[in-house]
Amino acid sequence: LLPCRLYCEEAKDPKRRSCQTVLAEALDIVVRSFAPILPHLAEEVFQYIPYKKGSEGVFRTGWINASSAWKKPGIEEAIEGACAMRDSFLGSISGKNALEYEVIIVIEPGLLFELMEALQAEETSSVSQLNEIMMASQTTLLSELPKETPADANITKGTFLINLEGGDICEQSSYKVIARALAKAKCPRCRRSTAESSSTPCPRCLKVLAGKGST
């Protein structure tokens, strides 16, 4: 999840910058958390954080002060739901490379489907947040089984309990996960099976490389 965002996207791409923001916030909270019992280590770490040059130090800048923006309703449930589906997907291809597959997620219209749509607005994507969580080359989100589903397709079923607003909103949703091997070549840059040939980057990487060349 992190390497693809950090090393495959453009330097100023919002997906890459948002990943850096999360890592920076996590590091700040972890360092401040162990500072009272490991003061010298915390201070040393703080001094070597490149974007905090000139800082007064971990003990002079206050205690943990996480922004309320991190507590967006539904995000935790969306991530937990996606992780549950990822476990179903990875379990169905045990021992195989997830990047050689497309994962098809089928959820009946409802709250769980809406949460997954927040992670992937398009029906099919290789760059969405949902696909990054699934660790596949491509993810397709549907509300019903595709008509061309083979009779012998490996369909993994599961359920997920959504609990929002302290229990005021509670919904048990079922889902189906289908793993389908992709016929496309592996991209030499991002390693996803979304390229037309093994010697040519995939469309996403070609776009990124073209942007680098014009700057």
Side-chain angles (χ1 to χ4, degrees), residues 1 4-5 8-9 15 99 101-103 119-141 182 184 187 190-195 202-205:
L1 173 59
C4 190
R5 278 197 179 198
C8 295
E9 300 292 352
K15 292 191 288 293
L99 289 176
Y101 287 83
E102 172 190 17
V103 57
L119 299 176
Q120 178 170 301
E122 309 88 352
E123 182 176 286
T124 299
S125 177
S126 62
V127 297
S128 68
Q129 295 180 69
L130 180 58
N131 186 65
E132 290 180 340
I133 294 171
M134 299 306 293
M135 300 169 62
S137 276
Q138 185 171 285
T139 296
T140 297
L141 179 62
L182 288 168
K184 289 192 173 183
C187 172
C190 70
R191 317 305 293 172
R192 288 177 174 169
S193 300
T194 52
C202 66
R204 188 278 299 272
C205 287

Side-chain angles (χ1 to χ4, degrees), residues 153-166:
N154 184 11
I155 302 177
T156 305
K157 299 180 181 180
T159 59
F160 183 73
L161 178 62
I162 300 170
N163 195 332
L164 294 172
E165 304 294 337

Side-chain angles (χ1 to χ4, degrees), residues 1 58 84 101 108 112 121 125 130 148 151 153 173-175 191 194:
L1 173 59
V58 66
Y101 287 83
E108 292 185 358
L112 181 59
S125 177
L130 180 58
E148 66 275 13
S173 299
S174 60
Y175 61 84
R191 317 305 293 172
T194 52

Side-chain angles (χ1 to χ4, degrees), residues 47 110 135 157 180 209 213:
Q47 289 176 2
M135 300 169 62
K157 299 180 181 180
R180 184 166 65 185
L209 292 171

Side-chain angles (χ1 to χ4, degrees), residues 5-7 9-11 13-20:
R5 278 197 179 198
L6 289 174
Y7 305 124
E9 300 292 352
E10 291 188 68
D13 188 282
K15 292 191 288 293
R16 182 176 185 274
R17 296 304 300 272
S18 66
C19 179
Q20 290 178 310

